[in-house]
Coordinates of all heavy atoms in Angstrom, one line a residue:
M16 N -16.6 -23.1 28.5 CA -15.7 -23.3 29.6 C -14.4 -23.8 29.1 O -14.3 -24.8 28.5 CB -16.3 -24.3 30.6 CG -17.6 -23.9 31.2 SD -18.0 -24.9 32.6 CE -19.6 -24.3 32.8
A17 N -13.4 -23.0 29.3 CA -12.1 -23.3 28.7 C -11.4 -24.3 29.6 O -11.3 -24.2 30.9 CB -11.3 -22.1 28.6
A18 N -10.8 -25.3 29.0 CA -10.1 -26.3 29.8 C -8.6 -25.9 29.9 O -8.2 -25.0 29.1 CB -10.1 -27.7 29.0
E19 N -7.9 -26.4 30.9 CA -6.5 -26.0 31.0 C -5.7 -26.6 29.8 O -6.1 -27.7 29.3 CB -6.0 -26.6 32.3 CG -5.9 -25.6 33.4 CD -5.1 -26.2 34.6 OE1 -4.0 -26.6 34.5 OE2 -5.7 -26.2 35.7
M20 N -4.7 -25.9 29.5 CA -3.8 -26.4 28.4 C -3.1 -27.7 28.9 O -2.5 -27.7 29.9 CB -2.8 -25.3 28.0 CG -2.0 -25.6 26.8 SD -3.1 -25.5 25.3 CE -1.8 -25.0 24.2
P21 N -3.1 -28.7 28.1 CA -2.4 -30.0 28.5 C -0.9 -29.8 28.4 O -0.4 -28.8 27.8 CB -2.9 -31.0 27.5 CG -3.3 -30.2 26.3 CD -3.8 -28.9 26.8
D22 N -0.2 -30.6 29.1 CA 1.3 -30.6 29.1 C 1.8 -30.9 27.7 O 1.5 -32.0 27.2 CB 1.8 -31.6 30.1 CG 3.4 -31.6 30.1 OD1 4.0 -30.6 29.6 OD2 3.9 -32.6 30.7
L23 N 2.4 -30.0 27.1 CA 2.9 -30.2 25.7 C 4.5 -30.3 25.7 O 5.1 -30.3 24.6 CB 2.5 -29.0 24.8 CG 1.0 -28.7 24.7 CD1 0.8 -27.5 23.9 CD2 0.2 -29.9 24.3
S24 N 5.1 -30.5 26.8 CA 6.5 -30.5 26.9 C 7.2 -31.7 26.2 O 8.3 -31.6 25.8 CB 7.0 -30.5 28.4 OG 6.5 -31.6 29.0
H25 N 6.4 -32.7 26.0 CA 7.0 -33.9 25.3 C 7.0 -33.8 23.8 O 7.5 -34.6 23.1 CB 6.2 -35.2 25.7 CG 4.8 -35.1 25.4 ND1 3.9 -34.4 26.1 CD2 4.1 -35.8 24.4 CE1 2.7 -34.5 25.5 NE2 2.8 -35.4 24.5
L26 N 6.3 -32.7 23.3 CA 6.2 -32.6 21.8 C 7.3 -31.7 21.3 O 8.0 -31.0 22.0 CB 4.9 -31.9 21.5 CG 3.6 -32.6 22.0 CD1 2.4 -31.7 21.7 CD2 3.5 -33.9 21.3
T27 N 7.5 -31.8 20.0 CA 8.5 -31.0 19.3 C 8.0 -29.6 19.2 O 6.7 -29.4 19.4 CB 8.7 -31.5 17.9 OG1 7.6 -31.3 17.1 CG2 9.2 -33.0 17.8
P28 N 8.8 -28.6 19.0 CA 8.3 -27.2 18.9 C 7.3 -27.1 17.8 O 6.3 -26.3 18.0 CB 9.6 -26.4 18.6 CG 10.7 -27.2 19.2 CD 10.3 -28.7 19.0
E29 N 7.5 -27.8 16.7 CA 6.5 -27.7 15.6 C 5.2 -28.2 16.0 O 4.1 -27.6 15.7 CB 7.0 -28.4 14.4 CG 8.3 -27.8 13.7 CD 9.6 -28.2 14.5 OE1 9.6 -29.2 15.3 OE2 10.6 -27.5 14.2
E30 N 5.2 -29.3 16.7 CA 3.9 -29.9 17.1 C 3.2 -29.0 18.2 O 2.0 -28.9 18.1 CB 4.2 -31.3 17.8 CG 4.6 -32.4 16.8 CD 5.1 -33.6 17.4 OE1 5.7 -33.6 18.5 OE2 4.9 -34.7 16.8
R31 N 4.0 -28.5 19.1 CA 3.4 -27.5 20.1 C 2.8 -26.4 19.4 O 1.7 -25.9 19.7 CB 4.5 -27.1 21.0 CG 4.5 -27.8 22.3 CD 5.5 -27.3 23.3 NE 6.7 -28.0 22.9 CZ 7.9 -27.6 23.2 NH1 8.2 -26.6 23.9 NH2 9.0 -28.3 22.8
E32 N 3.5 -25.8 18.4 CA 3.0 -24.6 17.7 C 1.6 -25.0 17.0 O 0.7 -24.2 17.0 CB 4.0 -24.2 16.6 CG 3.6 -22.9 16.0 CD 4.7 -22.4 15.0 OE1 5.9 -22.6 15.3 OE2 4.3 -21.9 13.9
I33 N 1.5 -26.1 16.4 CA 0.3 -26.5 15.7 C -0.8 -26.6 16.7 O -1.9 -26.1 16.5 CB 0.5 -27.9 15.0 CG1 1.4 -27.7 13.8 CG2 -0.9 -28.5 14.5 CD1 1.9 -29.0 13.2
I34 N -0.6 -27.3 17.8 CA -1.6 -27.5 18.8 C -2.0 -26.1 19.5 O -3.2 -25.8 19.6 CB -1.2 -28.5 19.9 CG1 -1.1 -29.9 19.3 CG2 -2.1 -28.4 21.1 CD1 -0.6 -30.9 20.2
E35 N -1.1 -25.3 19.8 CA -1.4 -24.0 20.3 C -2.2 -23.1 19.3 O -3.0 -22.4 19.7 CB -0.1 -23.3 20.8 CG 0.5 -23.9 22.0 CD 1.9 -23.4 22.3 OE1 2.5 -22.7 21.4 OE2 2.5 -23.7 23.4
S36 N -1.8 -23.3 18.1 CA -2.6 -22.5 17.0 C -4.0 -23.0 17.0 O -5.0 -22.1 16.9 CB -1.9 -22.8 15.7 OG -2.7 -22.3 14.7
V37 N -4.3 -24.3 17.1 CA -5.6 -24.8 17.0 C -6.4 -24.4 18.3 O -7.6 -23.9 18.2 CB -5.6 -26.4 16.9 CG1 -7.0 -26.9 17.2 CG2 -5.1 -26.8 15.6
V38 N -5.8 -24.4 19.4 CA -6.4 -24.0 20.7 C -6.8 -22.5 20.6 O -7.9 -22.1 21.0 CB -5.5 -24.3 21.9 CG1 -6.1 -23.6 23.1 CG2 -5.4 -25.8 22.1
H39 N -5.8 -21.7 20.1 CA -6.1 -20.2 19.9 C -7.2 -20.0 19.0 O -8.1 -19.2 19.3 CB -4.8 -19.6 19.4 CG -5.0 -18.1 19.2 ND1 -5.0 -17.2 20.3 CD2 -5.0 -17.4 18.1 CE1 -5.2 -16.0 19.8 NE2 -5.2 -16.1 18.5
R40 N -7.3 -20.7 17.9 CA -8.3 -20.5 16.9 C -9.7 -20.9 17.5 O -10.7 -20.3 17.3 CB -8.0 -21.4 15.7 CG -8.8 -21.0 14.4 CD -8.3 -21.5 13.1 NE -8.0 -23.0 13.2 CZ -6.8 -23.5 13.0 NH1 -5.8 -22.7 12.8 NH2 -6.7 -24.8 13.0
Q41 N -9.7 -22.0 18.3 CA -10.9 -22.4 19.0 C -11.4 -21.4 19.9 O -12.6 -21.1 20.0 CB -10.7 -23.8 19.7 CG -11.9 -24.2 20.5 CD -13.1 -24.6 19.6 OE1 -12.9 -25.0 18.4 NE2 -14.3 -24.4 20.1
K42 N -10.5 -20.8 20.7 CA -10.9 -19.7 21.6 C -11.5 -18.5 20.9 O -12.5 -17.9 21.3 CB -9.7 -19.2 22.4 CG -9.4 -20.2 23.5 CD -8.2 -19.7 24.3 CE -7.7 -20.8 25.3 NZ -6.6 -20.3 26.1
Q43 N -10.9 -18.2 19.7 CA -11.5 -17.1 18.9 C -12.9 -17.4 18.4 O -13.8 -16.6 18.4 CB -10.6 -16.8 17.7 CG -9.3 -16.1 18.1 CD -8.4 -15.9 16.9 OE1 -8.3 -16.7 16.0 NE2 -7.7 -14.8 16.9
E44 N -13.1 -18.6 18.0 CA -14.4 -19.1 17.5 C -15.4 -19.0 18.6 O -16.6 -18.6 18.4 CB -14.3 -20.5 16.8 CG -13.6 -20.5 15.5 CD -14.2 -19.6 14.5 OE1 -15.5 -19.6 14.3 OE2 -13.5 -18.9 13.7
E45 N -15.0 -19.4 19.8 CA -16.0 -19.4 20.9 C -16.3 -18.0 21.3 O -17.5 -17.7 21.6 CB -15.3 -20.1 22.1 CG -15.2 -21.6 22.0 CD -14.5 -22.3 23.1 OE1 -13.9 -21.6 24.0 OE2 -14.4 -23.5 23.0
Q46 N -15.4 -17.0 21.2 CA -15.7 -15.6 21.4 C -16.6 -15.1 20.4 O -17.6 -14.3 20.7 CB -14.4 -14.8 21.5 CG -13.5 -15.1 22.7 CD -12.2 -14.3 22.6 OE1 -11.8 -13.8 21.6 NE2 -11.5 -14.2 23.8
K47 N -16.4 -15.4 19.1 CA -17.3 -15.0 18.1 C -18.7 -15.5 18.3 O -19.7 -14.8 18.2 CB -16.9 -15.5 16.7 CG -15.7 -14.8 16.1 CD -15.3 -15.4 14.8 CE -14.0 -14.9 14.2 NZ -13.7 -15.5 13.0
E48 N -18.8 -16.8 18.7 CA -20.1 -17.4 19.0 C -20.8 -16.7 20.1 O -22.0 -16.4 20.0 CB -20.0 -18.9 19.3 CG -21.3 -19.6 19.5 CD -21.1 -21.0 19.8 OE1 -20.0 -21.6 19.5 OE2 -22.1 -21.6 20.3
Q49 N -20.1 -16.3 21.2 CA -20.7 -15.6 22.3 C -21.2 -14.2 21.9 O -22.2 -13.8 22.3 CB -19.7 -15.5 23.4 CG -19.4 -16.8 24.2 CD -18.4 -16.7 25.2 OE1 -17.8 -15.6 25.4 NE2 -18.1 -17.7 25.9
E50 N -20.4 -13.6 21.0 CA -20.8 -12.2 20.6 C -22.1 -12.3 19.7 O -22.9 -11.5 19.8 CB -19.7 -11.6 19.8 CG -18.6 -11.1 20.8 CD -17.5 -10.3 20.1 OE1 -17.8 -9.7 19.1 OE2 -16.4 -10.3 20.6
I51 N -22.1 -13.3 18.9 CA -23.3 -13.5 18.1 C -24.5 -13.8 18.9 O -25.6 -13.2 18.7 CB -23.1 -14.7 17.1 CG1 -22.1 -14.3 16.0 CG2 -24.4 -15.1 16.4 CD1 -21.6 -15.4 15.1
M52 N -24.4 -14.6 19.9 CA -25.5 -14.9 20.8 C -25.9 -13.7 21.6 O -27.1 -13.4 21.8 CB -25.1 -16.0 21.8 CG -24.9 -17.4 21.1 SD -26.3 -17.9 20.2 CE -27.5 -18.3 21.4
R53 N -25.0 -12.9 22.0 CA -25.3 -11.6 22.7 C -26.1 -10.7 21.8 O -27.0 -10.0 22.1 CB -24.1 -10.9 23.3 CG -23.7 -11.4 24.7 CD -22.7 -10.4 25.3 NE -21.4 -10.4 24.5 CZ -20.4 -11.2 24.8 NH1 -20.5 -12.1 25.7 NH2 -19.3 -11.1 24.0
S54 N -25.6 -10.6 20.5 CA -26.2 -9.7 19.6 C -27.7 -10.2 19.3 O -28.6 -9.3 19.2 CB -25.4 -9.8 18.3 OG -26.0 -9.0 17.3
V55 N -27.9 -11.5 19.1 CA -29.2 -12.0 18.9 C -30.1 -11.7 20.1 O -31.2 -11.2 19.9 CB -29.2 -13.5 18.6 CG1 -30.6 -14.1 18.7 CG2 -28.5 -13.8 17.3
Y56 N -29.6 -11.9 21.3 CA -30.4 -11.6 22.5 C -30.7 -10.1 22.6 O -31.9 -9.8 22.8 CB -29.6 -12.0 23.7 CG -30.2 -11.6 25.0 CD1 -31.3 -12.3 25.6 CD2 -29.8 -10.4 25.7 CE1 -31.9 -11.9 26.7 CE2 -30.4 -10.0 26.8 CZ -31.5 -10.8 27.4 OH -32.1 -10.3 28.5
N57 N -29.7 -9.3 22.3 CA -30.0 -7.8 22.4 C -31.0 -7.4 21.4 O -31.9 -6.6 21.7 CB -28.7 -7.0 22.2 CG -27.8 -7.2 23.4 OD1 -28.2 -7.5 24.5 ND2 -26.5 -6.9 23.2
R58 N -30.9 -7.9 20.1 CA -31.9 -7.6 19.1 C -33.3 -8.0 19.5 O -34.3 -7.3 19.3 CB -31.6 -8.1 17.8 CG -30.5 -7.3 17.1 CD -30.2 -7.8 15.7 NE -29.2 -8.9 15.9 CZ -29.0 -9.9 15.1 NH1 -29.6 -9.9 13.9 NH2 -28.1 -10.8 15.3
R59 N -33.4 -9.2 20.1 CA -34.7 -9.7 20.5 C -35.3 -8.9 21.7 O -36.5 -8.6 21.7 CB -34.6 -11.2 20.9 CG -34.4 -12.1 19.8 CD -34.3 -13.5 20.2 NE -35.7 -14.0 20.4 CZ -36.0 -15.1 20.9 NH1 -35.1 -16.0 21.2 NH2 -37.3 -15.5 21.1
L60 N -34.4 -8.4 22.6 CA -34.8 -7.6 23.7 C -35.3 -6.3 23.2 O -36.3 -5.8 23.7 CB -33.6 -7.4 24.6 CG -33.9 -6.6 25.9 CD1 -35.0 -7.3 26.7 CD2 -32.6 -6.5 26.7
V61 N -34.6 -5.7 22.2 CA -35.1 -4.4 21.6 C -36.5 -4.5 21.0 O -37.3 -3.7 21.3 CB -34.1 -3.9 20.6 CG1 -34.6 -2.7 19.8 CG2 -32.8 -3.4 21.3
V62 N -36.7 -5.6 20.3 CA -38.0 -5.8 19.6 C -39.0 -6.0 20.7 O -40.1 -5.4 20.7 CB -38.0 -7.1 18.7 CG1 -39.4 -7.5 18.3 CG2 -37.1 -6.8 17.5
F63 N -38.7 -6.8 21.7 CA -39.7 -7.0 22.8 C -40.0 -5.7 23.5 O -41.2 -5.4 23.8 CB -39.1 -8.0 23.9 CG -39.9 -8.1 25.1 CD1 -41.0 -8.9 25.1 CD2 -39.5 -7.5 26.3 CE1 -41.8 -9.1 26.2 CE2 -40.3 -7.6 27.4 CZ -41.4 -8.4 27.4
M64 N -39.0 -4.9 23.8 CA -39.3 -3.6 24.5 C -40.1 -2.6 23.6 O -40.9 -1.9 24.1 CB -37.9 -2.9 24.9 CG -37.2 -3.7 26.0 SD -38.1 -4.1 27.5 CE -38.2 -2.5 28.2
R65 N -39.8 -2.6 22.3 CA -40.6 -1.8 21.4 C -42.0 -2.2 21.4 O -43.0 -1.4 21.4 CB -40.0 -1.8 20.0 CG -38.8 -1.0 19.9 CD -38.2 -1.1 18.5 NE -37.0 -0.3 18.3 CZ -36.2 -0.4 17.3 NH1 -36.4 -1.3 16.4 NH2 -35.1 0.3 17.3
L66 N -42.3 -3.5 21.4 CA -43.6 -4.0 21.4 C -44.3 -3.7 22.7 O -45.5 -3.3 22.7 CB -43.7 -5.5 21.1 CG -43.3 -5.9 19.7 CD1 -43.2 -7.4 19.6 CD2 -44.4 -5.4 18.7
R67 N -43.6 -3.8 23.8 CA -44.2 -3.5 25.1 C -44.5 -2.0 25.2 O -45.6 -1.6 25.7 CB -43.2 -3.8 26.3 CG -43.0 -5.2 26.6 CD -44.2 -5.8 27.4 NE -44.6 -5.1 28.6 CZ -44.2 -5.4 29.8 NH1 -43.5 -6.4 30.1 NH2 -44.7 -4.6 30.8
W68 N -43.6 -1.2 24.7 CA -43.8 0.3 24.7 C -45.1 0.7 23.9 O -45.8 1.5 24.3 CB -42.6 1.0 24.2 CG -42.7 2.5 24.3 CD1 -42.6 3.2 25.4 CD2 -42.9 3.4 23.2 NE1 -42.7 4.5 25.1 CE2 -42.9 4.7 23.7 CE3 -43.0 3.2 21.8 CZ2 -43.1 5.8 23.0 CZ3 -43.2 4.3 21.1 CH2 -43.2 5.6 21.6
K69 N -45.3 0.0 22.8 CA -46.4 0.3 21.9 C -47.7 -0.5 22.4 O -48.7 -0.3 21.8 CB -46.1 -0.2 20.5 CG -45.1 0.7 19.8 CD -44.8 0.2 18.4 CE -43.8 1.1 17.7 NZ -43.5 0.7 16.4
G70 N -47.6 -1.3 23.4 CA -48.7 -1.9 24.0 C -49.1 -3.2 23.2 O -50.1 -3.7 23.4
G71 N -48.1 -3.7 22.5 CA -48.4 -4.9 21.7 C -48.2 -6.2 22.4 O -48.7 -7.3 22.0
I72 N -47.6 -6.2 23.6 CA -47.4 -7.4 24.4 C -47.8 -7.2 25.8 O -47.5 -6.2 26.4 CB -45.9 -7.8 24.4 CG1 -45.4 -8.2 23.0 CG2 -45.7 -9.0 25.3 CD1 -44.0 -8.7 22.9
G73 N -48.6 -8.1 26.3 CA -49.1 -8.0 27.7 C -48.1 -8.4 28.7 O -47.1 -9.0 28.3
V74 N -48.3 -8.0 29.9 CA -47.4 -8.4 31.0 C -47.4 -9.9 31.1 O -48.4 -10.5 31.1 CB -47.8 -7.7 32.3 CG1 -47.0 -8.2 33.4 CG2 -47.8 -6.2 32.2
G75 N -46.2 -10.5 31.3 CA -46.1 -11.9 31.5 C -46.1 -12.7 30.2 O -45.9 -13.9 30.2
V76 N -46.2 -12.1 29.0 CA -46.2 -12.8 27.8 C -44.8 -12.5 27.1 O -44.4 -11.4 27.0 CB -47.3 -12.3 26.8 CG1 -47.2 -13.0 25.5 CG2 -48.6 -12.5 27.4
V77 N -44.2 -13.6 26.8 CA -42.8 -13.5 26.1 C -42.9 -14.1 24.8 O -43.4 -15.1 24.5 CB -41.7 -14.1 27.0 CG1 -40.4 -14.0 26.3 CG2 -41.7 -13.5 28.4

């Protein structure tokens, strides 16, 4: 959950740039983490479906 950007008007342009850079980098890292989690979920789902298709997992068993 992204927080609103705080008021940076009291900072120097250099300080603002540093903070904005850190916030941007954090957002990128959060996006990477979400993509990794989706990828792990999708791989697990594929394995589960293959096992179900082959009859290796019963209904209701995860």
Side-chain angles (χ1 to χ4, degrees):
M16 299 193 188
E19 259 188 59
M20 187 73 150
D22 179 18
L23 305 178
S24 62
H25 62 284
L26 301 175
T27 66
E29 294 80 17
E30 291 170 328
R31 261 183 275 161
E32 186 177 325
I33 291 169
I34 291 175
E35 289 170 350
S36 170
V37 169
V38 169
H39 179 73
R40 197 165 50 244
Q41 177 64 31
K42 286 179 183 178
Q43 287 179 324
E44 289 300 318
E45 288 172 358
Q46 287 175 345
K47 285 181 191 176
E48 183 178 343
Q49 288 177 358
E50 288 187 25
I51 289 169
M52 294 304 291
R53 272 193 297 272
S54 175
V55 167
Y56 172 80
N57 288 339
R58 282 184 275 160
R59 291 182 77 187
L60 183 60
V61 167
V62 169
F63 174 78
M64 295 305 290
R65 284 182 182 163
L66 289 172
R67 284 287 306 263
W68 184 72
K69 291 181 180 181
I72 294 180
V74 175
V76 178
V77 179

